[in-house]
Amino acid sequence: MSDEELQTIWRQSIDHYGKQLQSIVCMEECAELIQAISKKLRKDTSSNDVLAEEMAYVIVCLHQLKMMYGITDKAISDWVEANGFEQTSCECGGVMLGPKTVRVITECSCCGDPDCDCPCCEEDDDTHHVFTLRCNAHDCYNTIDVGEDDWGYYPERKEDAIRYAVECEGWAEGKHGIQVGHLYCPEHAKDVWEES
């Protein structure tokens, strides 16, 4: 089936069942994918057919969500980039695909690049982390890089970087309701719910 034919079918489904019902179906399909992943992790004896089927349903739902809510491919790719999935490489041929939230800083013995993330640098004694934290407020793109502090200390874990951002830079961590586990820049820290 062509992309045009698929989009016609998806549009007809939205027109027939309505935005609200199709949104609920999308939520249900995501839940079924979560369940399939969980089963795969617990007992990896089955084929990948169920997992592939649930992934296909979710992919269809993502396309329908884009149609229903007017979300463009550019908006999605901007969010993918903002949340840090990029491919990086160094001259030594090492390639890593992963989140930008943690950058391993070292002076690469192969290429001399201080920002190299290649696998050959993982055992270097001079390795330290820089965590890029992003504000979770809607439509906010503020970030903070937490690396070496005033005393030469480098955070080893994301939790340490978050604690530094909160204690020293005026960021706030959500502790209640849907804000639990989310981080907010100083501009949005005032919006974090206090315990009532």
Side-chain angles (χ1 to χ4, degrees):
M1 224 179 257
S2 71
D3 283 348
E4 191 173 296
E5 290 172 315
L6 287 172
Q7 289 189 15
T8 300
I9 292 169
W10 298 333
R11 174 57 59 201
Q12 289 171 344
S13 180
I14 294 165
D15 292 343
H16 180 75
Y17 293 106
K19 185 176 176 178
Q20 183 175 357
L21 184 58
Q22 284 305 106
S23 295
I24 292 169
V25 169
C26 290
M27 292 187 304
E28 291 170 353
E29 293 300 343
C30 289
E32 289 177 24
L33 176 58
I34 290 168
Q35 189 176 29
I37 295 168
S38 177
K39 284 181 181 176
K40 195 73 179 154
L41 288 173
R42 281 186 285 126
K43 51 183 178 188
D44 192 22
T45 57
S46 64
S47 73
N48 288 331
D49 289 348
V50 173
L51 187 59
E53 179 185 7
E54 296 305 336
M55 290 170 69
Y57 286 134
V58 169
I59 288 170
V60 168
C61 286
L62 292 175
H63 286 288
Q64 287 185 325
L65 287 168
K66 284 169 47 180
M67 289 176 160
M68 291 187 293
Y69 294 98
I71 297 170
T72 65
D73 289 336
K74 173 145 178 32
I76 292 171
S77 65
D78 287 349
W79 276 108
V80 168
E81 188 175 318
N83 284 306
F85 291 92
E86 67 172 9
Q87 184 170 326
T88 58
S89 64
C90 86
E91 293 173 16
C92 68
V95 176
M96 295 183 69
L97 182 65
K100 258 196 295 193
T101 44
V102 182
R103 293 191 319 270
V104 177
I105 306 298
T106 186
E107 207 148 305
C108 179
S109 57
C110 305
C111 63
D113 181 357
D115 291 325
C116 178
D117 284 343
C118 71
C120 67
C121 299
E122 290 179 3
E123 296 179 19
D124 193 323
D125 292 337
D126 271 351
T127 298
H128 59 275
H129 298 92
V130 174
F131 293 84
T132 301
L133 306 175
R134 186 181 65 81
C135 180
N136 293 124
H138 181 68
D139 283 338
C140 182
Y141 300 97
N142 292 336
T143 62
I144 182 173
D145 286 339
V146 179
E148 182 179 15
D149 66 14
D150 297 336
W151 301 278
Y153 168 77
Y154 291 97
E156 287 296 318
R157 301 173 308 135
K158 186 174 183 180
E159 294 79 17
D160 298 333
I162 291 171
R163 189 175 63 238
Y164 176 84
V166 169
E167 292 175 3
C168 303
E169 300 294 335
W171 285 60
E173 190 173 11
K175 305 253 186 242
H176 306 285
I178 61 171
Q179 293 181 338
V180 170
H182 291 108
L183 193 62
Y184 299 92
C185 68
E187 182 180 331
H188 294 101
K190 65 186 179 310
D191 300 328
V192 174
W193 300 335
E194 296 297 326
E195 192 169 11
S196 54

